[in-house]
Amino acid sequence: MNIENITKELEPLRVQLQTHSLYQDIKDIEGVRVFMQNHVFAVWDFMSLLKSLQFHLTTVNVPWIPSSNPKTRRFINEIVLAEESDVNQAGESVSHFEMYLNAMQEAGADTLQINRLLQQLCDNKTVEEGLESIATIDEVKDFVEFTFQVIATNKPHIIAAVFTFGREDLIPDMFIALVKSIASSSGSALTHLIYYLERHIELDGDEHGPLSLEMVETLCTNKKEWNEALYYSKKALEKRITLWTGIHTMVKCNIVSV
């Protein structure tokens, strides 16, 4: 088993995601709002996945001791810097999650449920308790719960595989074109969302892709670990397809989770 094998095994699932009918059925600003109100949870839990990699692959303890792989260490720290402290259109330092929340507010998408979840966590509730307290579709809850199940394995090769194959570059370029078309035709305020999407693609460019693959290759040291990496990567893509299908149902029914 190697990177090429995993990539080949995952290709049918990636094609399903890239060609999902969700994209073609988002035809107006209301569809964008429905998408954002559900997708925001994936934007949020991505940071916990990334922070868990930072915990395993860099040194966050005191006294500090250098971690074993300087190249992987630098890669993770670069991603954390970009995701947690990027620059928005106004030149302000914000996380991509906060950037997304600002885009939701500009678009008129409801942030009540994601903010309620964050408040529950600030009140020392568990992720599971927080999810139970909010009104959102089961597919969202299932997606987030899976992310934290991956983190709970405490196995860097599994977390890295899900991060690399299950979370990067899964919103195709055509979605940006779609959002631009909706903004242009309706006069809707979607500039923050367009900036977020374009910024995300820019940062996930040629350098980060190969480095993330190299990270997985470094962490998978035996057949068992390669098999686990493949298994969890498949599950991650299946969970994303299920999430997309759940959101698609809401878009078609024009139902907003409130």
Side-chain angles (χ1 to χ4, degrees):
M1 181 74 71
N2 55 34
I3 288 293
E4 289 73 21
N5 295 140
I6 290 185
T7 302
K8 184 177 180 180
E9 288 279 344
L10 297 179
E11 185 59 23
L13 292 172
R14 289 186 62 85
V15 169
Q16 283 188 56
L17 277 167
Q18 291 164 351
T19 60
H20 200 289
S21 51
L22 166 65
Y23 300 116
Q24 67 187 38
D25 282 338
I26 297 177
K27 299 176 180 178
D28 54 26
I29 184 63
E30 191 57 43
V32 174
R33 288 171 182 153
V34 172
F35 176 82
M36 295 181 79
Q37 287 164 201
N38 292 279
H39 176 242
V40 65
F41 290 91
V43 177
W44 169 73
D45 75 354
F46 172 82
M47 279 305 302
S48 290
L49 197 67
L50 176 57
K51 282 293 187 177
S52 129
L53 275 178
Q54 188 180 35
F55 174 80
H56 285 290
L57 302 179
T58 73
T59 302
V60 294
N61 298 321
V62 176
W64 178 85
I65 301 171
S67 57
S68 59
N69 191 318
K71 194 170 184 179
T72 300
R73 179 202 315 158
R74 179 180 177 86
F75 169 60
I76 291 300
N77 283 332
E78 281 183 352
I79 296 289
V80 169
L81 175 63
E83 292 286 343
E84 194 170 33
S85 306
D86 202 4
V87 178
N88 66 12
Q89 291 156 295
E92 302 162 331
S93 180
V94 295
S95 68
H96 280 189
F97 171 69
E98 292 163 315
M99 199 182 289
Y100 199 88
L101 286 181
N102 290 336
M104 289 179 69
Q105 291 165 357
E106 180 190 49
D110 193 349
T111 60
L112 177 63
Q113 301 308 321
I114 185 64
N115 284 331
R116 182 175 290 173
L117 174 60
L118 296 182
Q119 185 58 55
Q120 291 288 306
L121 298 175
C122 288
D123 292 340
N124 295 317
K125 301 293 185 182
T126 65
V127 172
E128 291 77 12
E129 290 170 334
L131 289 172
E132 283 300 313
S133 74
I134 63 173
T136 191
I137 58 176
D138 289 341
E139 290 87 348
V140 165
K141 296 179 180 180
D142 189 49
F143 184 89
V144 174
E145 286 171 354
F146 173 74
T147 297
F148 283 89
Q149 289 166 10
V150 168
I151 292 169
T153 66
N154 277 319
K155 294 182 176 181
H157 64 282
I158 291 175
I159 301 168
V162 169
F163 174 87
T164 298
F165 296 108
R167 301 304 289 256
E168 293 295 284
D169 193 28
L170 291 180
I171 297 180
D173 291 347
M174 70 179 192
F175 185 63
I176 297 182
L178 174 67
V179 171
K180 287 180 177 178
S181 175
I182 291 171
S184 174
S185 62
S186 65
S188 302
L190 295 175
T191 58
H192 285 69
L193 176 60
I194 293 167
Y195 179 85
Y196 166 86
L197 293 169
E198 289 181 337
R199 184 71 176 145
H200 212 68
I201 288 178
E202 177 186 350
L203 291 172
D204 291 338
D206 295 337
E207 183 179 354
H208 286 173
L211 282 174
S212 64
L213 294 174
E214 185 177 323
M215 172 177 64
V216 173
E217 202 155 29
T218 299
L219 293 172
C220 290
T221 60
N222 55 55
K223 183 178 180 180
K224 179 176 182 292
E225 290 177 347
W226 278 112
N227 287 336
E228 287 177 334
L230 175 60
Y231 172 81
Y232 278 93
S233 296
K234 278 186 175 180
K235 291 287 288 185
L237 291 175
E238 289 165 356
K239 295 290 183 183
R240 176 75 70 157
I241 291 169
T242 301
L243 175 63
W244 262 207
T245 301
I247 298 174
H248 186 211
T249 299
M250 295 185 68
V251 168
K252 289 193 296 183
C253 296
N254 199 27
I255 298 173
V256 180
S257 57
V258 295

